Amino acid sequence: MSIRLMSWLKMLCVVAVLAPSMEVEGVTINFDTVADGTAIDTAYSSLGVTFNNPLGGASIYARSSSLAQSLPNVVSVFSTGFPEFDARYGAVEATFSSAQSFVSIDAAIIRVPVGLGTPTNFPKLEVYNTSGGFITAVNWNFTLGPQPPAGGGTDYQTLAYSSASANIGKVRVLSGQPGGNPSNFGRFDNLKFGTGNPAAAGPIGVQFTGGGGVALAAGQTAGLIPQSNYNVVPGVSGSGLVLKDNSGVVTTASLSFTTNESGYVTNLSSDPVTPDEILNDGILNGTLGTNPTITITGIPHALYDLIVYTLDTEIRNQRVTATTGAGSTSFTVRSPNGDAPGYQDSNAGTPYTYLQGTTNSQTPVPGSDYVRFSNLTGNVTIHADAQISTFPSNTNNNVFINGFQIVPEPRVTLMLLFAVPLVAYLGGRKRTIANR
């Protein structure tokens, strides 16, 4: 083994160790270390954060709640009574002793049971730089957590912000002014912050339900890479829809899409019965000239694979293209009949068939119902084309997309796992040769 090769392999090891995908967990404050009603303005100063209410400079309190995300306490502007609040009573302001690069808070809505009309306010996380300048606000996502009825509430949603640099000086947690309407009060728990990269997000799944597709439940697991907590998206368009990952945590990823039709399902005669059938039930559709455009920005993975599901009601061909800053890649599929055995056949006893379209040919893999784009970085836009001029066997120009997954690529981790033992082995062999 030459010294030059040994040096190159050791450099490979160093690159793997220093790869930017390594995680930094940061600090989590769950407000559970003190008694109910305790003022916590400086209680966590040793962890790098102090609290106050910017409305009149009042204190902030840890409050007991049976609905806390982590029992027993949440954080509140009130020292007694209900812990939920809106902006009429101020905000929880957290000021960091040093600049941070990521921050999050768990939030839930409780809608007051009085008043006519629909609330217009919602929980939010306002982010400020070290000079006090406003950076952005992370707002409640009503797609993930719909407006509750009067007197009702929601599950928790994580409002999170991550910056490319350590520039976060403080945050404010609140639910906005109700503006004369009934109010959505906010309940808040588990403040997290730190520098470096926050704990990595998991796979992100989106299901388009079209005009009548069955929606996946949060706990149902589906997809080529099995996951739960799909983002269920109805309708023909959407803009800036914040996406959660497979653990239900809100990510920095955002979805925008538009088409002119989505009123189709893959089996016109019966409903799906298994999670994979449900995932591929609805169709985001489009006719010639107005094919769907799907754009995902803010993807929280340095390197990822994009899996696009393409089951139609009948045997038809289409080309799917993914475009990033590095260029475009296309694959074609030839969907089977949607109700064919092993697809959306309404039979729990038949394993679901995932068959990949692997070429960019006018004669795609027969029965293929998904495509996979590997090693992507940055934002991505998905287009589809099923024109009869391109695929003469098609009966119409409509495209068909059921959903997609964004799966983090583990390549850097694999480099780290294999490079270090390899270098250690080769280093030992070099010593053995030298000692002969």
Side-chain angles (χ1 to χ4, degrees):
M1 177 64 64
S2 70
I3 294 175
R4 179 176 297 176
L5 180 56
M6 274 299 303
S7 298
W8 184 86
L9 287 169
K10 287 181 179 180
M11 184 179 297
L12 175 63
C13 177
V14 171
V15 170
V17 171
L18 296 180
S21 65
M22 300 298 287
E23 299 175 9
V24 178
E25 292 293 343
V27 175
T28 298
I29 296 176
N30 57 24
F31 310 102
D32 298 335
T33 59
V34 296
D36 178 35
T38 300
I40 60 167
D41 300 4
T42 60
Y44 300 100
S45 59
S46 62
L47 297 177
V49 63
T50 57
F51 296 93
N52 78 288
N53 184 343
L55 184 63
S59 289
I60 296 299
Y61 304 91
R63 296 298 319 286
S64 177
S65 172
S66 62
L67 299 175
Q69 178 77 320
S70 64
L71 295 170
N73 292 341
V74 297
V75 64
S76 178
V77 299
F78 298 131
S79 61
T80 59
F82 293 108
E84 295 83 8
F85 63 95
D86 66 21
R88 291 174 294 180
Y89 308 97
V92 173
E93 182 173 274
T95 302
F96 305 113
S97 59
S98 60
Q100 307 297 313
S101 58
F102 69 87
V103 64
S104 70
I105 190 80
D106 293 341
I109 290 175
I110 180 167
R111 178 176 168 179
V112 297
V114 296
L116 300 176
T118 302
T120 57
N121 63 331
F122 44 80
K124 63 177 69 177
L125 172 70
E126 294 182 348
V127 185
Y128 298 82
N129 63 27
T130 53
S131 299
F134 179 75
I135 297 177
T136 190
V138 182
N139 296 330
W140 180 267
N141 187 335
F142 281 101
T143 299
L144 302 181
Q147 174 67 56
T154 68
D155 289 333
Y156 280 89
Q157 192 175 111
T158 301
L159 309 180
Y161 175 76
S162 181
S163 175
S165 61
N167 65 341
I168 303 171
K170 68 178 181 180
V171 295
R172 287 178 180 173
V173 176
L174 68 154
S175 186
Q177 293 280 354
N181 296 305
S183 184
N184 283 326
F185 278 29
R187 184 190 312 115
F188 302 97
D189 201 358
N190 295 332
L191 176 70
K192 300 180 182 180
F193 59 92
T195 57
N197 295 325
I204 297 169
V206 168
Q207 179 203 14
F208 294 112
T209 55
V214 177
L216 280 166
Q220 290 182 301
T221 299
L224 180 71
I225 309 298
Q227 73 161 91
S228 57
N229 286 299
Y230 274 79
N231 298 271
V232 178
V233 180
V236 299
S237 65
S239 179
L241 304 179
V242 178
L243 302 177
K244 60 185 176 182
D245 70 3
N246 63 326
S247 62
V249 175
V250 173
T251 72
T252 54
S254 177
L255 168 68
S256 297
F257 72 101
T258 183
T259 186
N260 69 330
E261 281 190 295
S262 65
Y264 293 89
V265 292
T266 53
N267 187 331
L268 300 177
S269 60
S270 59
D271 288 334
V273 295
T274 69
D276 284 299
E277 289 185 5
I278 294 172
L279 171 61
N280 295 280
D281 183 39
I283 301 176
L284 188 64
N285 195 243
T287 58
L288 179 62
T290 53
N291 290 340
T293 297
I294 303 166
T295 299
I296 309 100
T297 60
I299 296 169
H301 310 305
L303 195 67
Y304 63 91
D305 287 5
L306 172 67
I307 302 167
V308 182
Y309 297 107
T310 57
L311 182 66
D312 196 24
T313 57
E314 60 186 39
I315 298 174
R316 292 180 63 245
N317 302 324
Q318 78 171 349
R319 175 173 286 111
V320 182
T321 301
T323 302
T324 67
S328 297
T329 303
S330 299
F331 295 105
T332 54
V333 294
R334 182 171 176 80
S335 172
N337 287 315
D339 59 358
Y343 294 92
Q344 215 275 66
D345 59 3
S346 301
N347 184 352
T350 307
Y352 194 87
T353 301
Y354 283 115
L355 184 61
Q356 184 175 359
T358 56
T359 72
N360 188 20
S361 167
Q362 286 183 267
T363 55
V365 175
S368 50
D369 59 344
Y370 80 93
V371 296
R372 183 169 186 162
F373 304 91
S374 297
N375 303 327
L376 304 183
T377 60
N379 302 334
V380 64
T381 297
I382 305 168
H383 293 284
D385 167 28
Q387 297 181 41
I388 295 175
S389 59
T390 306
F391 303 104
S393 64
N394 282 358
T395 57
N396 58 55
N397 296 305
N398 293 0
V399 303
F400 40 99
I401 294 177
N402 316 112
F404 62 85
Q405 285 182 283
I406 296 173
V407 182
E409 171 62 55
R411 173 176 296 177
V412 171
T413 302
L414 292 174
M415 284 177 60
L416 179 60
L417 290 175
F418 288 105
V420 175
L422 178 62
V423 171
Y425 167 76
L426 291 174
R429 181 161 177 82
K430 178 186 174 185
R431 288 191 294 273
T432 301
I433 294 171
N435 292 333
R436 282 181 178 175

